[in-house]
Amino acid sequence: MNAFAPRPPHADADELLRAELTELLPPPPVPEPTAERNQHLRHAVLRTALAAGDGASARPVRPVRPRQGIRLGWIVAPMAACAVVAGVAVLAPQDGTTGTPGRISAGPASSAEAVKVLSGAALAAAAAPAPSVRPGEYVYVRSLVAHAGRDAAGGAATLPPAHRREVWLSVDGSRPGLLREPGAPDTELGAELPVYEVDHRGATPRKTTMEAAPPSVTNPTHAYVATLPTDPGVLLRLIQDQTRAGGGDADQRAFATIGTLLAETWAPPKVTAALYEAAARIPGVTVLPSAKDAAGREGVAVARTSHGEQTQWIFDRTSSAFLGERTVLTETTSAGRAGTVLGVSAVLAKAAAPAPGELPKG
């Protein structure tokens, strides 16, 4: 999902695996995960949280049980409160880009106000120009994100500055995409993953590939998102059906999935409008009068709280444009005091690019 995930040791993974298989009963062990597999596993756990950090101040981290539903797997959830992949716990990023811990007050507001904000966003989205992406091109998304990890001693979460993040995604998902972040090697997205099969105990493992999951709201492609229903009720039921296996708060899973679709895909205007209207039908959605995204842009936020964590979508007050997301603790836990910001993002650009790694023209 990761450039920041721990890398496997420099050893022959096939030889290590073959030796283990000779000694142990099934199920057989598999080789140490490659950076590519670490990326895939992180996406599957997070729904898109990144174990991003300031390389200069990185410290050992310990696993923490995730408290919230799965975020999208194909890019990275900008707002996951915590995640466990390859021994990394992602928690409590800062508010903005200065490296200072973020804290806010998450006060209640009426659902009627949330419906009003989301309706305004839907009207603005419906009037926006349609995405212009031709077959063979890539959807390019540039954003700022910040997530931090707790150290092995279990102390307070440390916060790196928000960093730039760029992704390139094939229109139909048929070709690998790319994730690029500063200070880390480029990571291929969506490629077939290597797996090992064993016919019987003591047999030599056969290297094969894992079949890619079909497109869905949790594994979307640009082409798939363009076909989503524009009726808000039908769309919400589809999202609820496809996120049913996540466990926990079903309404929060739907809200989180819609948030990632808004942040991480480039949907047609009518689909984007339907996503906002579908979110307005989810119980427990409220409004915060003020919130800032990772770029420091202030706006009004629509929010939903579940299991002591509040997910916020931040909108421009004038244009009703979606700015970014933030996740905040509403209860004091081992991760921090109530009001601690657990994740922050800012969407900076969405455009069509000719190839992975190439910037949009114009």
Side-chain angles (χ1 to χ4, degrees), residues 3-358:
F4 292 101
R7 295 300 192 264
H10 296 290
D12 188 328
D14 286 340
E15 287 185 8
L16 292 174
L17 176 62
R18 189 175 298 111
E20 291 179 359
L21 286 171
T22 302
E23 299 175 2
L24 301 177
L25 293 174
V30 295
E32 185 92 18
T34 62
E36 181 181 9
R37 175 172 286 279
N38 274 335
Q39 176 77 14
H40 177 77
L41 291 175
R42 184 179 302 278
H43 288 180
V45 174
L46 299 186
R47 153 64 178 123
T48 82
L50 290 172
D54 183 355
S57 60
R59 294 185 287 170
V61 295
R62 63 179 179 87
V64 177
R65 179 185 299 274
R67 299 189 56 198
Q68 198 162 305
I70 295 176
R71 304 294 305 254
L72 281 191
W74 61 298
I75 308 180
V76 68
M79 289 295 100
C82 60
V84 182
V85 178
V88 174
V90 179
L91 292 168
Q94 67 194 52
D95 181 12
T97 60
T98 63
T100 302
R103 302 182 61 78
I104 69 161
S105 296
S110 71
S111 293
E113 292 176 348
V115 171
K116 182 178 179 180
V117 173
L118 290 168
S119 296
L123 288 172
S132 178
V133 188
R134 297 190 298 269
E137 291 187 319
Y138 288 74
V139 172
Y140 169 82
V141 181
R142 184 173 73 250
S143 59
L144 287 175
V145 298
H147 303 278
R150 291 175 73 184
D151 61 31
T158 55
L159 310 173
H163 64 274
R164 177 167 167 156
R165 175 175 164 276
E166 298 171 285
V167 293
W168 289 260
L169 297 164
S170 168
V171 169
D172 60 3
S174 62
R175 289 164 296 165
L178 185 71
L179 168 66
R180 177 172 290 171
E181 296 179 285
D186 288 351
T187 302
E188 194 173 73
L189 300 175
E192 291 186 340
L193 297 175
V195 295
Y196 289 80
E197 295 182 355
V198 179
D199 296 324
H200 54 82
R201 186 169 61 180
T204 300
R206 292 182 291 102
K207 190 172 183 179
T208 181
T209 56
M210 180 185 298
E211 292 184 4
S216 66
V217 296
T218 58
N219 184 41
T221 65
H222 181 73
Y224 175 81
V225 171
T227 67
L228 287 175
T230 56
D231 179 288
V234 175
L235 179 57
L236 181 57
R237 287 193 294 273
L238 174 67
I239 292 170
Q240 291 170 332
D241 287 343
Q242 294 193 8
T243 58
R244 193 177 304 278
D249 186 337
D251 289 328
Q252 188 68 9
R253 291 199 307 272
F255 188 78
T257 298
I258 292 173
T260 301
L261 288 169
L262 294 170
E264 300 285 323
T265 69
W266 196 15
K270 290 185 178 180
V271 172
T272 302
L275 287 169
Y276 289 129
E277 293 175 7
R281 301 185 180 205
I282 298 175
V285 179
T286 62
V287 164
L288 296 175
S290 180
K292 289 184 180 180
D293 69 6
R297 300 175 297 189
E298 191 272 343
V300 61
V302 170
R304 192 176 190 283
T305 302
S306 178
H307 301 299
E309 295 171 5
Q310 185 179 80
T311 300
Q312 305 170 3
W313 303 344
I314 305 167
F315 296 91
D316 184 272
R317 295 184 183 278
T318 302
S319 67
S320 293
F322 181 89
L323 299 179
E325 284 190 275
R326 192 159 63 164
T327 297
V328 179
L329 276 180
T330 57
E331 301 173 2
T332 297
T333 70
S334 60
R337 291 181 293 166
T340 297
V341 179
L342 299 178
V344 64
S345 70
V347 179
L348 303 181
K350 295 181 180 181
E358 294 188 21

